[in-house]
Amino acid sequence: MTTKPLSLHEPVFAGNEWSYVKECLDTGWVSSAGKFVDRFETDLARVCGTRRAVALVNGTAALDLALRLIGVRAGDEVIVPSLTFLATVNAVAYQGAVPLFADVEEPTFGLDPDALEAFLAAETETRGGACVRRGSGRRVAACVPMHALGRSVRLEPLLDACARRGIPVIEDAAEALGSSYRGRPLGSFGRAGVLSFNGNKIATTGGGGALVTDDEALAARAKHLSTQAKSDADAFWHDAVGYNHRLPNVNAAIGCAQLEQLDGFVARKREIAAAYRDAFAGTALSLFWEPAGSRSNFWLNAVLARDAETAARVLKSLRARGVGARPMWAPAHLQPMYRDAPRAPLPVTERLWRTSVCLPSSASLTDAQVREVAAAAVEAAAG
Ligand SMILES: *Cc1c(COP(=O)(O)O)cnc(C)c1O
């Protein structure tokens, strides 16, 4: 159909990337200190509406640090969706904690606040100020909602269910930079939010991530741990087991240029989503749209088919035509490392996984390409 295969997501470097990177090379400030790191953190905090942003080496490291900093410890349980990129769940395991899988809901592909409330009400109790799951006797130490494909979780009831039990929330907003819920940026609702600037995300630093928060002490601690917890850098004294999780200045330079273009990326993504929606209107496939009360960056688009066989046919047919369509993430509770992890019933997770297909969504796509992809998908769905 097209001469060049359409990839799922391609970065766009149309702004000041070259000149900012050149400045790093010309001045020798290529590593983990430099003005672009500081500027990236300031710019990012502004975009996210938080007091602080801490630039980190990737989103996975940011999740790891966030969970450690809010006090998740070995033997705790952490509520996570099973329908997510596995990094969300691995970050729980890094603490020696156990993921507690909860189901998602169709309108958001994210944690279902009503199902979670019912589960917590039936299965947990408060003991000595902590929320404890009766079945395991373990503390439920955190909840990590993930904003799937840039669409917002129904945050109000979710935050409420967690707050009433003293469960801190870390938002996995890795896919949701530029999205908002009730007019407020995603990533700014929990104790901290986590972002990713991997090459496939809406804005990239090559590889990169960040932790955003209103909590100054938490941000300072994140910065400290990410720089090997140096207490006296000149004499090489350290006061904790830290990491080298800093974002290099060269990467931050790319990020500064990308953030300058973020509004444009989001605007184009929204046009692409609208073009998909129009092309799928009245067909057997429906586009994963924007949940009520939220504004999505439409980072990636996905269609839902009526059954698993239809979705598999659509995926196979698009791929045969050189379209870089992809299945949704295989659920975490089916991965070998997490098969024995505790869980609530996960019927929606398994259904959405089997019936959805992710479609090319690069900001560089033309409307004509979107219509071609959609027409091919509709034809495949019809059998
Ligand atoms: C990309 C992503 C991450 C991890 O980010 P990296 O920068 O690749 O480490 C975490 N969670 C979700 C949902 C993601 O999509």
Side-chain angles (χ1 to χ4, degrees):
M1 62 187 286
T2 37
T3 47
K4 181 171 166 258
L6 290 180
S7 58
L8 196 71
H9 194 279
E10 269 176 17
V12 174
F13 301 115
N16 289 319
E17 287 87 354
W18 278 108
S19 71
Y20 292 171
V21 169
K22 184 171 186 306
E23 190 179 326
C24 295
L25 302 185
D26 287 346
T27 59
W29 288 94
V30 292
S31 204
S32 303
K35 73 170 203 189
F36 287 112
V37 173
D38 297 338
R39 184 178 147 193
F40 184 59
E41 292 181 339
T42 307
D43 292 354
L44 188 60
R46 190 172 53 242
V47 169
C48 293
T50 54
R51 281 210 189 100
R52 292 286 306 272
V54 179
L56 296 163
V57 73
N58 55 50
T60 307
L63 279 165
D64 182 10
L65 263 180
L67 290 177
R68 174 167 165 186
L69 283 169
I70 62 161
V72 174
R73 297 285 175 263
D76 287 337
E77 294 186 359
V78 175
I79 301 160
V80 284
S82 175
L83 193 67
T84 184
F85 180 59
L86 203 62
T88 318
V89 183
N90 286 342
V92 175
Y94 298 158
Q95 319 308 317
V98 176
L100 173 57
F101 294 119
D103 208 7
V104 297
E105 57 179 355
E106 181 168 331
T108 71
F109 277 55
L111 285 179
D112 179 341
D114 304 329
L116 183 63
E117 171 60 41
F119 177 81
L120 292 173
E123 306 283 340
T124 67
E125 63 192 39
T126 306
R127 279 187 217 158
C131 176
V132 172
R133 191 165 66 85
R134 275 192 221 101
S136 64
R138 296 193 196 113
R139 182 171 77 119
V140 179
C143 175
V144 188
M146 191 280 284
H147 302 296
L149 312 189
R151 275 60 152 189
S152 177
V153 168
R154 218 155 30 98
L155 277 167
E156 228 158 53
L158 184 89
L159 291 169
D160 193 51
C162 291
R164 271 187 289 110
R165 297 175 174 87
I167 302 172
V169 171
I170 298 291
E171 286 174 85
D172 183 345
E175 305 178 354
L177 180 69
S179 300
S180 60
Y181 177 78
R182 303 210 188 285
R184 194 171 137 189
L186 297 187
S188 70
F189 287 84
R191 282 285 305 283
V194 164
L195 295 160
S196 168
F197 297 94
N198 192 37
N200 65 339
K201 298 301 202 288
I202 191 161
T204 184
T205 56
L211 183 154
V212 292
T213 182
D214 279 336
D215 185 335
E216 304 268 5
L218 191 138
R221 190 85 190 133
K223 190 83 178 173
H224 182 65
L225 286 179
S226 75
T227 53
Q228 297 288 22
K230 287 178 194 145
S231 50
D232 180 346
D234 288 334
F236 295 103
W237 288 104
H238 307 255
D239 60 16
V241 179
Y243 313 83
N244 180 4
H245 275 356
R246 299 170 300 179
L247 183 72
N249 200 45
V250 184
N251 299 82
I254 298 172
C256 289
Q258 290 272 290
L259 290 184
E260 289 169 355
Q261 300 161 81
L262 180 63
D263 290 348
F265 292 158
V266 173
R268 180 62 196 143
K269 293 272 190 183
R270 293 183 61 84
E271 286 171 5
I272 289 168
Y276 269 127
R277 179 193 55 192
D278 294 349
F280 286 120
T283 74
L285 297 173
S286 61
L287 194 70
F288 172 27
W289 194 243
E290 178 171 65
S294 71
R295 186 175 191 273
S296 177
N297 66 4
F298 284 101
W299 167 60
L300 209 64
N301 290 291
V303 275
L304 274 168
R306 84 178 90 71
D307 53 37
E309 295 67 39
T310 306
R313 215 161 51 234
V314 168
L315 181 63
K316 194 165 161 225
S317 166
L318 288 178
R319 289 205 166 192
R321 292 170 191 245
V323 176
R326 289 260 302 269
M328 197 58 71
W329 317 279
H333 71 281
L334 301 178
Q335 310 279 353
M337 307 77 76
Y338 301 118
R339 253 177 222 153
D340 298 328
R343 68 203 57 173
L346 302 169
V348 184
T349 296
E350 298 212 3
R351 176 169 61 79
L352 291 182
W353 164 50
R354 289 181 196 284
T355 56
S356 57
V357 178
C358 295
L359 301 175
S361 303
S362 305
S364 56
L365 280 181
T366 66
D367 286 12
Q369 287 173 317
V370 167
R371 285 193 294 272
E372 273 183 82
V373 171
V378 169
E379 191 191 312

